[in-house]
Amino acid sequence: MLEEGQECEFSQRRNRADRFDEEAIAQLLCILGQDFARTAAEKRVQIMRTIMTTLTQMWMTLLLSNALPSDHNSNLPLPKCQLVYAILTRMSVHVAQLIADAIYLFAGMPPTRHPLDPDKSNRALGFLALITGLCQSFGVLITPSKVIRPPITRAFIEKYCKPRQAQGDAPQAAHTLPPPHQADPAGSLGMERHL
């Protein structure tokens, strides 16, 4: 539990000059032999879903569905990779602050227009479950026009959270556990126990 004004390990690390070891992040979040997508200047920018471990895909789905909504989920940009890495290596993370920051940024963003229909917004509505829950708690009758994502169950994971290989690539062995010094004594990362 964090004290008032105390920063979590994730925020402390993110704000330090040496920040995160991107090589270690790639080794933990990607299937063996894979790495971040890079810019022309070789700067690491994102990890594509197709090369993530199953565990990384599970955490990405959980985060993008509940804490940090996104209008797409085919990749994880570097800052969100750092968050998943922090979670998997058991750093403390102030989730309420992350959500508050995301809401603040989301609320301040100007609407973008759909390229084919200027009367429509091109941006997804964030925090659907939060908005719906708050409305229901105040007695607003809800008739959702947009389906909220299904619960993350074993069937969901087996269908949507498996590493895939690009056409022509040899099958890759997927690893889902961090190096031994980062797992608990039972060799699990917590979320795996509930599957």
Side-chain angles (χ1 to χ4, degrees), residues 27-28 53 55 88 174-180 182-183 186-190 192:
Q27 288 178 358
L28 183 59
T53 65
L55 187 59
L88 293 178
H175 66 285
T176 58
L177 295 176
Q182 294 171 337
S188 176
L189 286 170
E192 293 171 317

Side-chain angles (χ1 to χ4, degrees), residues 159-185:
K159 184 173 182 179
Y160 297 108
C161 298
K162 294 294 180 185
R164 299 176 208 113
Q165 61 197 43
Q167 283 187 330
D169 284 353
Q172 295 282 337
H175 66 285
T176 58
L177 295 176
H181 68 278
Q182 294 171 337
D184 70 15

Side-chain angles (χ1 to χ4, degrees), residues 29-168:
L29 304 187
C30 297
I31 57 177
L32 293 175
Q34 299 296 320
D35 196 0
F36 282 85
R38 298 173 186 254
T39 65
E42 292 297 309
K43 181 180 176 190
R44 291 179 163 123
V45 290
Q46 65 188 0
I47 295 178
M48 302 305 293
R49 181 182 196 80
T50 55
I51 64 166
M52 291 177 192
T53 65
T54 300
L55 187 59
T56 302
Q57 289 182 44
M58 290 166 35
W59 276 105
M60 180 182 87
T61 301
L62 180 71
L63 288 170
L64 298 183
S65 296
N66 297 294
L68 304 171
S70 178
D71 57 353
H72 72 285
N73 62 6
S74 61
N75 64 33
L76 264 184
L78 181 58
K80 290 180 182 174
C81 289
Q82 293 168 342
L83 176 58
V84 172
Y85 177 81
I87 291 168
L88 293 178
T89 57
R90 299 183 178 268
M91 288 182 200
S92 63
V93 176
H94 195 316
V95 177
Q97 187 64 54
L98 289 174
I99 293 171
D101 291 347
I103 291 172
Y104 179 81
L105 289 173
F106 188 84
M109 293 171 63
T112 57
R113 295 290 163 214
H114 192 277
L116 301 176
D117 186 350
D119 292 333
K120 292 183 179 178
S121 173
N122 199 29
R123 193 172 77 196
L125 180 61
F127 302 99
L128 288 177
L130 174 62
I131 293 167
T132 302
L134 288 172
C135 289
Q136 285 177 325
S137 71
F138 283 94
V140 176
L141 180 61
I142 302 296
T143 52
S145 59
K146 185 169 184 167
V147 177
I148 296 176
R149 291 182 184 181
I152 301 171
T153 61
R154 179 179 292 279
F156 181 93
I157 291 165
E158 288 172 359
K159 184 173 182 179
Y160 297 108
C161 298
K162 294 294 180 185
R164 299 176 208 113
Q165 61 197 43
Q167 283 187 330

